[in-house]
Each structure stands twice: as C-alpha cells, then as structure tokens.
Amino acid sequence: MYTTDLSGKPPPEVVREDPDKLAAFEARVANDEFIEPKDWMPEAYRKTLVRQMSQHAHSEIVGMLPEGNWITRAPNLRRKAILLAKVQDEAGHGLYLYSAAETLGVSRDEMTEALLSGKAKYSTIFNYPTLTWADIGAIGWLVDGAAIMNQVPLQRTSYGPYARAMVRICKEESFHQRQGYEIMMQLAAGAPAQKRMAQDALNRWWWPSLMMFGPPDDKSPNTEQSLRWRIKRDTNDELRQKFVDITVPQAEAIGLSPPDPALKWNQARGGYDFGAVDWEEFYAVVRGEGPVAKERMQARVKAWEEGAWVREAARVHAEKRANASHAAR
Amino acid sequence: MSDPKKEWPLWEVFVRAKGGLSHRHVGSVHAADAKMAIEHARDTYTRRMEGVSLWVAPSAEITASDPGEAAALFEPAEDKIYRHPTFYTIPASVKHI
C-alpha cells in the first residue's frame, strides 16, 4: 500500500549481492524468522523497506490533516474528544513508523525533507478534502478499515521493528474504525438531511478507499519479490476483494449503499463482483493532482518552517544546560 | 535542510507495565534533553496506560552485540546442559528437590 514509486525513473542499478549471504537471508525469511536492525540484508530489501516504512509514516502524519479540519466543528463534546484522541493516535502511529525506519540507517530529518520536497509519497487517500462532518465518519469506517486490512497481516512482516510497530498500531486502529462507523450509523438513522449527508460522504470516499490498496496485481511488478521477502503478505487485489466483501454488509446494515451499480453478490465465488476502479484518477492523484494535494503539502511545510524556532530553542537550551552542569563538576 | 548537528538526539524508550515486571524496549523518540524525552515517550508509547514506569537512554549510549558474531559470542553456553535442572536424575521418592 505504501510502496508506490511511480516516479517514472528507471530502477537503480542492481547491487551484486554475495550469493551465499543472499541465500541465507532468503532462507531465514522463508522460515518466518524476523530480520533485526543489525542483521545482514540485501540492499534492495533495505531500500524498499525504507521507502515503504517512511511513506507509511508520512501517510499517518499527513492523515492528521483531513480529520484535524473538523476538530473545531465536531457536533458535540464527545465527538470532539474522540476525534482529538484519534488524530493524536495518528501522530503516534507516524512516530512509531519513523522510529522503526530509523533503525535502517535513515535519519528523521532526511525522511522529513523527502516528504516536504515531494520526493516521498504518502497514501493518495489523504489528498481528498473533508467537506462535511459525515466525511469524518466515512474516513474512520472506510479509510481506517482499509488500513486495518493492510496492517493486520503486516504484524508478521519480515522486518522486526516494522512488525512490532504494526502490532502496536493494530491494537489502536480498531477504535478508529468503530468511532467512524458509529458516526455513520447515527447519521443514517437520523433526519433525512443527515442520512443524505452520510450517503454523500460514502459516495465520495468509496472509490478512493478501494484505490488505497494500490494498482491491480498485473500492474504491480514488485509484488512477487515483496511477497517472497514477506514485506507484503497479500496481493493488492486480494486485499481489495476482502475489503469489499467485509464492508458491503456493514453499509447495508445501516441503510447506506456503496456508489457502485455493478456491485453484486457472486454465489459461486463467495464474494462480491464490483465495478471497474478508475485507475486514471488514481495515477493522477499519485502524480500530485489530488484535489487538495497542494494544500496538504503547504500545511506540512508551514508546520516545519514555523516550528524551526522551537526546535532550535530547545536544542540550544539543552546544550547550554549540559555545558553548565559539565563546567560545575 | 537536514543537518545532523541540529537534529534532536535519539533516545531509546523502555516501558514497564506493572510493578514486578521488567522494562521492555518499545521504540525511540527524538528529544532535546532527558526531561523532554520522558514526556515524548509518555505521549508516544503510553496513551492507553501501557506503563507505570519509563526509562529513556540516549541511543548513542547503547551498545548492541553484533548478530554476525552471535555464534561465537554465545558458543560457550551451547554445550553446558548441566546448567539445567533436568540434567540431573533424582529418584521420584525424594521430595522437595
């Protein structure tokens, strides 16, 4: 989900790895063992993981913005406290993932620079705007729901720090989805205008949520290697199908309908047939043309630049006190 | 933009869940000093009362054994099975031993 690298650049030169070391590494991974920070690993594995983990972290941090937009306008105190807790969790999730990525030898500042300069990607879903309160419900239910689908299998991904971060995140993600669904449930059972608002939010967030799982399998050339290295545990299409099968009944239970006329239960397959995803929209958003992509990056750049004096003041203050106590000995 | 000298240092975080258990490593935080590191560790790793005690240590102060040397480092313990109680056969009739 986070390995998107559609920069159009040719792949970097393949590093010639020691065949014995590579074979030993692949055997460990095939044996369901965890690779830890100082273990030998192929350069391609390290690079892919740095990209995937840092882009996953960037997604959490940028993901605070669409929901942060409604904190001041939550309909009541309970909703406001819950939304604050959720957005706080997203910051925490970003930090777990940055912390895990740093064990691979990349620094926090390097990763931040990659995000703010546009070199690094984050999940395309966060480039869509939150237009109504119901969007907060739709995001919790669908976007966090899709994230859970992706994150649960990653609890056994091959890289130890990433797997442990996933375990922590999964424990916290469940409330995120439930609070979103609860919002949709209440709106769908409310006044006609509230029900319309909920249906409208579902209409706008459904397809982008399906796109979160990434391009179709036949357009994902790295899938085989990622599966072999246990960086990925299921294919994009497998997860997407599972998400549809689980989510459609949840919509029906509250009287809402996903905006897909082709949605139909297929008894033979034991799953839902669903309509074609508009991949042109997906690639456009990956290219940076998402509805509020510019606003998201502006918000992040502003936060970084306006926070510079805080980082600098804290650093200098700590240095001064350290020197003073050193001199006093 | 990224100047290693200007980054806040990295601290490893250890959390103890309850009295009697030991601290477990949970991850890291960046902070300007120890007090900030404790506060960031609390905000990042204990939002759900996961801990009653926090330790933070500068990452640079931690030395880890080299996994490439693990075989040689731990070799002396490999064949000393007589360190385990099950190595010794005591008749069942003898109690409390």
Side-chain angles (χ1 to χ4, degrees), chain A residues 44 67 78 92 95 105 108 127 202 213 227 234 249 278-279 283 290 295:
Chain A
E67 288 169 307
R78 177 172 179 273
L95 292 175
R108 178 70 64 84
N127 290 321
L202 172 53
F213 296 99
L227 286 172
D234 300 275
D278 180 0
W279 291 111
Y283 288 117
E295 285 85 339

Side-chain angles (χ1 to χ4, degrees), chain A residues 11-326:
Chain A
E13 280 174 47
V14 175
V15 174
R16 297 262 167 273
E17 301 284 7
D18 178 321
D20 290 334
K21 288 203 166 107
L22 187 55
F25 169 83
E26 302 246 0
R28 289 189 63 202
V29 172
N31 202 29
D32 258 359
E33 287 175 38
F34 288 111
I35 307 298
E36 296 296 342
K38 295 274 176 276
D39 290 348
W40 186 90
M41 60 186 80
E43 201 42 42
Y45 177 85
R46 181 190 303 272
K47 278 205 167 76
T48 301
L49 269 177
V50 167
R51 187 170 73 239
Q52 181 164 329
M53 289 164 75
S54 61
Q55 292 188 168
H56 195 163
H58 298 325
S59 301
E60 301 283 357
I61 301 300
V62 177
M64 295 166 72
L65 294 170
E67 288 169 307
N69 187 27
W70 280 88
I71 288 174
T72 55
R73 294 176 290 170
N76 58 53
L77 184 60
R78 177 172 179 273
R79 292 291 176 209
K80 189 194 210 83
I82 287 170
L83 189 55
L84 274 166
K86 179 181 195 285
V87 172
Q88 223 180 355
D89 266 359
E90 307 303 4
H93 293 180
L95 292 175
Y96 300 154
L97 290 160
Y98 283 132
S99 159
E102 285 175 70
T103 65
L104 285 167
V106 62
S107 80
R108 178 70 64 84
D109 277 7
E110 280 176 77
M111 289 188 278
T112 304
E113 181 170 10
L115 172 67
L116 300 184
S117 67
K119 275 196 266 164
K121 300 282 174 199
Y122 52 89
S123 191
T124 50
I125 192 74
F126 300 117
N127 290 321
Y128 291 84
T130 43
L131 300 177
T132 71
W133 173 252
D135 291 41
I136 302 304
I139 287 175
W141 172 36
L142 302 174
V143 176
D144 288 79
I148 288 171
M149 198 112 279
N150 181 59
Q151 285 163 184
V152 166
L154 283 180
Q155 293 179 109
R156 292 213 50 89
T157 191
S158 55
Y159 189 56
Y162 194 19
R164 291 187 286 273
M166 287 295 104
V167 170
R168 209 172 293 120
I169 287 177
C170 283
K171 284 200 182 97
E172 304 185 346
E173 203 75 59
S174 187
F175 116 69
H176 296 186
Q177 191 183 27
R178 290 174 76 119
Q179 64 84 43
Y181 188 68
E182 204 190 59
I183 290 172
M184 296 301 264
M185 237 170 35
Q186 274 210 302
L187 290 171
Q194 287 176 313
K195 184 160 186 177
R196 272 197 304 275
M197 197 201 305
Q199 182 61 58
D200 172 67
L202 172 53
N203 291 346
R204 282 181 291 101
W205 287 92
W206 176 257
W207 292 105
S209 297
L210 295 197
M211 291 175 201
M212 282 179 75
F213 296 99
D217 292 348
D218 56 12
K219 299 278 188 299
S220 305
N222 291 324
T223 294
E224 191 273 323
Q225 182 180 82
S226 291
L227 286 172
R228 201 173 77 246
W229 280 349
R230 277 172 49 219
I231 294 175
K232 208 170 162 130
R233 309 297 326 249
D234 300 275
T235 72
N236 297 352
D237 288 336
E238 278 168 1
L239 288 177
R240 193 174 0 256
Q241 180 67 55
K242 221 169 139 196
F243 177 76
V244 171
D245 291 342
I246 284 176
T247 311
V248 170
Q250 290 172 344
E252 288 171 352
I254 54 178
L256 298 177
S257 335
D260 183 359
L263 204 52
K264 198 167 149 127
W265 177 254
N266 183 323
Q267 185 58 33
R269 264 196 322 111
Y272 283 93
D273 291 332
F274 55 95
V277 175
D278 180 0
W279 291 111
E280 281 317 304
E281 179 183 328
F282 171 74
Y283 288 117
V285 179
V286 171
R287 279 196 303 269
E289 294 158 34
V292 289
K294 288 197 175 57
E295 285 85 339
R296 298 291 179 237
M297 287 318 302
Q298 275 162 9
R300 290 311 315 155
V301 171
K302 183 169 188 266
W304 176 259
E305 288 177 352
E306 292 186 357
W309 72 269
V310 176
R311 296 192 296 277
E312 184 64 7
R315 186 184 69 81
V316 170
H317 179 69
E319 256 172 39
K320 262 188 358 198
R321 293 180 71 194
N323 290 340
S325 77
H326 203 257

Side-chain angles (χ1 to χ4, degrees), chain B residues 22-86:
Chain B
S22 49
H23 287 76
R24 291 179 59 232
H25 180 242
V26 293
S28 62
V29 293
H30 284 272
D33 59 32
K35 180 164 180 283
M36 190 194 279
I38 290 281
E39 288 165 0
H40 285 186
R42 181 218 35 212
D43 292 342
T44 310
Y45 295 104
T46 67
R47 282 193 299 283
R48 286 161 175 77
M49 277 306 304
E50 290 93 327
V52 300
S53 172
L54 288 168
W55 287 352
V56 294
S59 308
E61 294 298 326
I62 296 187
T63 305
S65 59
D66 178 352
E69 300 294 312
L73 183 65
F74 297 111
E75 191 266 334
E78 244 177 75
D79 57 356
K80 297 186 174 69
I81 56 175
Y82 42 78
R83 285 183 171 146
H84 296 276
T86 45

